[in-house]
Amino acid sequence: MNRRTILTVALLFVAANCSISAELRTVNGKEVDLQPLIDWSAHKKGDHPLKHWKLVQILESKGEMAYPIVMADIEGAKTQIALKNCPSGILQLLTQKQTLESQLSAARQEHQAAAQDAANTRKRKEAKQAKRSEAAAADTEKNLKKELAEVEQKIKQEKGVYAMNTGAVFNGLPVWDTGLASH
């Protein structure tokens, strides 16, 4: 290859990898670039671009029908919404949290029952077994608390997603849409 061809290929490669940053979403067949909103939110100077797009912090999953139903904080207002194109990562964390909370509740009950058995047992052999059961239940509860705290920390680190109210209603709830990522 000659020098000019190599230079042209190199420039095309650099241009392809240094394209202008854009956060493109498709909603109702229309492509929207959220990058101006993302840039604005970093400094909050000037007018709010794309005023109908809001930052939605998903707090709790309430289940899923046609859309995930979530409790969300939308720029300071807590409300329950149907969220179209909801990011699966946060839903997985919220489901994991709910599962751990259920397991922790069961572990607490088991620990209390084991402690009661240990307190009520009079025979030496049975008392030792009851104490071991109580200790095992306490360890399980402690481990679940630690795991739950880690998941809650991951949830807090979630930045939220930009979504827009579509104007549609599902089961009495407003339908918001994050759009589909497009490239």
Side-chain angles (χ1 to χ4, degrees):
M1 274 202 256
N2 67 26
R3 191 172 170 190
R4 176 181 261 167
T5 304
I6 292 172
L7 184 58
T8 302
V9 170
L11 284 173
L12 286 173
F13 180 77
V14 169
N17 287 320
C18 295
S19 62
I20 296 173
S21 177
E23 180 67 35
L24 300 176
R25 299 296 172 114
T26 302
V27 177
N28 296 330
K30 295 179 183 174
E31 193 169 74
V32 179
D33 183 4
L34 296 181
Q35 195 61 50
L37 178 60
I38 293 167
D39 294 342
W40 174 85
S41 68
H43 306 289
K44 299 205 174 162
K45 291 183 181 175
D47 288 337
H48 183 299
L50 303 167
K51 291 182 187 335
H52 50 283
W53 285 84
K54 306 288 183 192
L55 183 61
V56 176
Q57 184 75 37
I58 302 165
L59 305 172
E60 184 180 349
S61 175
K62 298 287 192 171
E64 189 164 335
M65 294 180 204
Y67 308 109
I69 306 301
V70 299
M71 181 59 70
D73 181 324
I74 303 173
E75 296 188 349
K78 288 188 172 89
T79 186
Q80 191 167 308
I81 62 172
L83 187 58
K84 188 175 178 182
N85 299 310
C86 185
S88 62
I90 185 65
L91 288 179
Q92 290 170 349
L93 285 172
L94 292 169
T95 299
Q96 187 178 2
K97 178 185 175 191
Q98 289 172 333
T99 300
L100 287 169
E101 287 171 338
S102 294
Q103 290 174 348
L104 182 58
S105 177
R108 283 184 178 138
Q109 290 175 352
E110 186 178 326
H111 184 195
Q112 288 173 347
Q116 189 68 36
D117 285 348
N120 294 336
T121 303
R122 300 288 178 232
K123 294 182 182 177
R124 177 176 232 142
K125 185 177 179 182
E126 291 175 1
K128 282 185 179 182
Q129 179 58 38
K131 287 287 186 186
R132 282 193 293 268
S133 293
E134 180 185 4
D139 282 346
T140 299
E141 185 177 345
K142 178 182 165 191
N143 291 337
L144 285 169
K145 283 181 182 178
K146 180 181 176 191
E147 196 173 341
L148 181 59
E150 290 169 0
V151 169
E152 287 174 337
Q153 185 61 34
K154 287 179 185 176
I155 291 170
K156 284 180 185 174
Q157 291 172 348
E158 287 289 319
K159 302 283 189 243
V161 294
Y162 285 100
M164 63 176 279
N165 188 334
T166 65
V169 175
F170 176 76
N171 280 357
L173 298 173
V175 177
W176 286 68
D177 192 351
T178 65
L180 294 171
S182 57
H183 302 285

